[in-house]
């Protein structure tokens, strides 16, 4: 079941990203802002040759290498977990990474960005749904890591002692205390 959830999360996030980019590219004019929710959320078509939120990581080839490595890591971890929330998170990250990689291959190293948010004079970097999926997926992963259920560590009393060692271990601990033999 978790594997199916992972696949669906990846497919849905990838499809929504690619459909939104096709619509944005076909309906918006580059570098012209269209208010969606006042000045808070605007649609503004642009292409970006940098990384997530306009960050620069180095030469252009790195923008192909990092997503491929990231996709490999996501697949490695996603296919080993049985946790439903982790599989959803990994699926979102995979869908976003593949979505932007598809753009980079299709658009000679660039991605389509069109979501512009901000308040008054402060604006965030223009981004796309692939960026959003990656961020939401990472937030889910972090939330699950810090606040999710923990596996109970097995105490030493729960583990059976190897044959013949239990009595000797108890005696050596008692002797070290100075209370034993």
């Amino acid at each position: 079941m978790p594997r199916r959830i992972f696949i669906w999360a990846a497919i849905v996030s990838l499809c929504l990203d690619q459909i939104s980019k096709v619509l944005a590219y076909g309906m918006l004019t580059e570098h012209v802002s269209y208010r969606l929710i006042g000045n808070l959320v605007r649609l503004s078509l642009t292409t970006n040759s940098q990384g997530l939120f306009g960050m620069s990581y180095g030469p252009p080839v790195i923008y192909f290498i990092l997503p491929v490595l990231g996709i490999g890591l996501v697949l490695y971890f996603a296919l080993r977990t049985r946790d439903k929330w982790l599989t959803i998170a990994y699926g979102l990250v995979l869908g976003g990474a593949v979505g932007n990689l598809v753009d980079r291959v299709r658009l000679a190293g660039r991605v389509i960005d069109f979501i512009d948010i901000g308040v008054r004079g402060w604006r965030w970097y223009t981004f796309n749904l692939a960026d959003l999926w990656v961020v939401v997926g990472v937030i889910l992963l972090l939330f699950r890591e810090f606040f999710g259920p923990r596996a109970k560590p097995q105490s030493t009393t729960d583990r059976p002692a190897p044959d013949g060692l239990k009595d000797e271990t108890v005696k050596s601990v008692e002797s070290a205390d100075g209370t034993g033999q």
Side-chain angles (χ1 to χ4, degrees), residues 12-53:
V12 168
S13 60
L14 174 62
C15 289
L16 288 175
D17 171 65
Q18 292 298 297
I19 290 168
S20 70
K21 289 174 181 173
V22 167
L23 291 173
Y25 198 76
M27 297 173 72
L28 302 175
T29 303
E30 195 163 5
H31 303 296
V32 175
S33 292
Y34 302 89
R35 291 179 181 208
L36 191 61
I37 302 174
N39 203 29
L40 179 66
V41 179
R42 304 185 304 198
L43 300 178
S44 181
L45 180 66
T46 186
T47 57
N48 173 14
S49 62
Q50 301 294 310
L52 186 67
F53 301 126

Side-chain angles (χ1 to χ4, degrees), residues 59-118:
V61 71
I62 203 81
Y63 299 105
F64 293 93
I65 294 171
L66 286 178
V68 170
L69 292 175
I71 289 167
L73 282 173
V74 166
L75 288 170
Y76 175 81
F77 289 113
L79 297 175
R80 283 164 175 69
T81 186
R82 297 190 186 280
D83 184 287
K84 180 174 92 172
W85 290 105
L86 288 178
T87 58
I88 291 170
Y90 286 127
L92 292 175
V93 172
L94 179 66
V98 171
N100 277 341
L101 187 58
V102 166
D103 275 13
R104 291 206 186 274
V105 169
R106 194 170 48 105
L107 301 172
R110 303 183 73 77
V111 296
I112 295 172
D113 289 329
F114 62 93
I115 302 169
D116 176 20
I117 61 172

Side-chain angles (χ1 to χ4, degrees), residues 127-148:
F127 60 97
N128 57 46
L129 287 183
D131 299 333
L132 180 68
W133 301 140
V134 170
V135 169
V136 169
V138 168
I139 289 170
L140 282 173
L141 288 169
L142 291 172
F143 185 82
R144 195 68 174 169
E145 178 65 28
F146 291 113
F147 303 110

